Amino acid sequence: MSDMSWHLPDPETQPEFYADVPTKRLLAFVVDTIVIIAISLAIVPFTAFTGLFFFPVLMAVVGFAYRVITISRGSATWGMRLTAIEFRTASGERFDLGMAFAHTFGLTLSFLLPLLQVISIVLMLTSARAQGLSDHVLGTVAINRRAAT
């Protein structure tokens, strides 16, 4: 029995925590991408429109900051909150700034090296806890949030 099994929901006895998580992560990614594009477009006029020449870099920087800030403040991006999922560490805790940075850095590496992104997607679709590559490396999971009582 691993340490993770003591602090996180067991996918065999509590599958509801992991139900539809890959689909929700994809939807959250689409929502977050739209938000990042909107923020990036709002910044362009403040660069005297030179931001259009390096728009992909601007989006990467804005996306990195957006993800680190939103994940560190609520253990989920706005898209993840919309789809009712959140990240948890191996000890079951919400993400702090350091873990949000590490997870976002892993995601960024996956974007830079498409093979890593493919591996991450395959892992999300086949692992019991629907963990991506960054999740496996960091010992983190994305789970369905508990309903407010």
Side-chain angles (χ1 to χ4, degrees):
M1 200 175 261
S2 70
D3 287 340
M4 192 181 294
S5 65
W6 287 102
H7 302 290
L8 294 173
D10 186 323
E12 291 182 26
T13 60
Q14 297 174 304
E16 63 275 9
F17 281 99
Y18 303 100
D20 302 320
V21 167
T23 304
K24 289 180 175 186
R25 284 180 86 162
L26 176 62
L27 180 59
F29 176 79
V30 171
V31 170
D32 292 332
T33 300
I34 292 169
V35 170
I36 291 164
I37 290 169
I39 293 169
S40 299
L41 287 172
I43 291 171
V44 168
F46 295 102
T47 67
F49 294 94
T50 59
L52 292 173
F53 295 109
F54 55 91
F55 195 73
V57 174
L58 177 64
M59 271 190 54
V61 170
V62 168
F64 194 94
Y66 164 82
R67 289 178 192 287
V68 169
I69 291 166
T70 57
I71 292 171
S72 68
R73 296 190 75 208
S75 210
T77 64
W78 292 344
M80 292 172 69
R81 292 173 196 171
L82 181 69
T83 60
I85 57 175
E86 65 185 1
F87 285 124
R88 294 297 177 131
T89 65
S91 61
E93 300 293 321
R94 292 175 174 257
F95 278 22
D96 59 9
L97 180 60
M99 186 59 77
F101 182 88
H103 199 276
T104 302
F105 183 75
L107 177 69
T108 303
L109 282 178
S110 292
F111 288 152
L112 292 173
L113 302 168
L115 178 61
L116 294 181
Q117 188 64 25
V118 170
I119 292 168
S120 188
I121 292 168
V122 169
L123 287 171
M124 279 185 224
L125 295 174
T126 60
S127 63
R129 287 190 164 98
Q131 294 170 286
L133 185 59
S134 296
D135 297 318
H136 278 281
V137 170
L138 297 171
T140 59
V141 295
I143 60 172
N144 289 309
R145 283 193 316 225
R146 293 181 186 176
T149 56

